[in-house]
Amino acid sequence: MAWDIAVKTKVYHLLANEIFFRIYNGTYPPGVKLSSFPVFAKEVGSSPETVRKAIYELQKHGIVERNRLGFFVTSNHEKVLEYRDSYLAAVEQRYFEAKQKVEETVLEINQGQF
């Protein structure tokens, strides 16, 4: 059996998701200014570059907006809901892929291939 290991999740994606969850649950309410990259990095125990990538990822999806004063949480609730739905769809897809892999393994075991 071939190895099926795919490490695709980057640390900045994990951080972006965590920031998003804090936006979604109100820890960072709409319109609030986010800390600078170095300050944020100290808070989360990461590098400023990782924080920058995470914030830019959220900015790309409209969750965070940038102006001359810094980065702010969007006030557009629809963007937040869209991002939530796309995140949940991706999690669901990974779940079904893992479930299929388990079912195939069980089938192989039941057919005596192990």
Side-chain angles (χ1 to χ4, degrees):
M1 175 190 263
W3 289 91
D4 184 21
I5 300 172
V7 181
K8 296 180 182 178
T9 305
K10 305 288 185 196
V11 173
Y12 75 91
H13 281 132
L14 298 173
L15 180 57
N17 288 339
E18 184 62 29
I19 294 168
F20 171 74
F21 291 134
R22 290 170 187 241
I23 290 169
Y24 188 69
N25 75 20
T27 302
Y28 300 130
V32 74
K33 182 180 181 194
L34 298 175
S35 300
S36 68
F37 297 156
V39 171
F40 217 136
K42 277 189 172 185
E43 290 175 16
V44 301
S46 185
S47 73
E49 181 63 14
T50 300
V51 170
R52 183 190 67 78
K53 287 180 179 180
I55 296 297
Y56 282 4
E57 181 71 18
L58 293 172
Q59 183 184 14
K60 182 172 70 173
H61 294 284
I63 304 303
V64 171
E65 299 168 347
R66 181 180 184 180
N67 67 31
R68 62 184 176 82
L69 300 175
F71 291 92
F72 294 81
V73 174
T74 185
S75 295
N76 185 339
H77 189 64
E78 290 300 315
K79 287 285 186 189
V80 173
L81 294 178
E82 286 174 21
Y83 189 83
R84 178 204 61 190
D85 291 345
S86 67
Y87 173 81
L88 292 174
V91 169
E92 183 178 47
Q93 179 63 34
R94 287 193 306 272
Y95 164 78
F96 285 124
E97 289 169 0
K99 182 179 178 198
Q100 180 180 0
K101 192 173 180 179
V102 167
E103 289 170 350
E104 290 170 358
T105 302
V106 169
L107 185 60
E108 289 175 3
I109 291 171
N110 289 338
Q111 293 176 346
Q113 294 179 6
F114 271 88

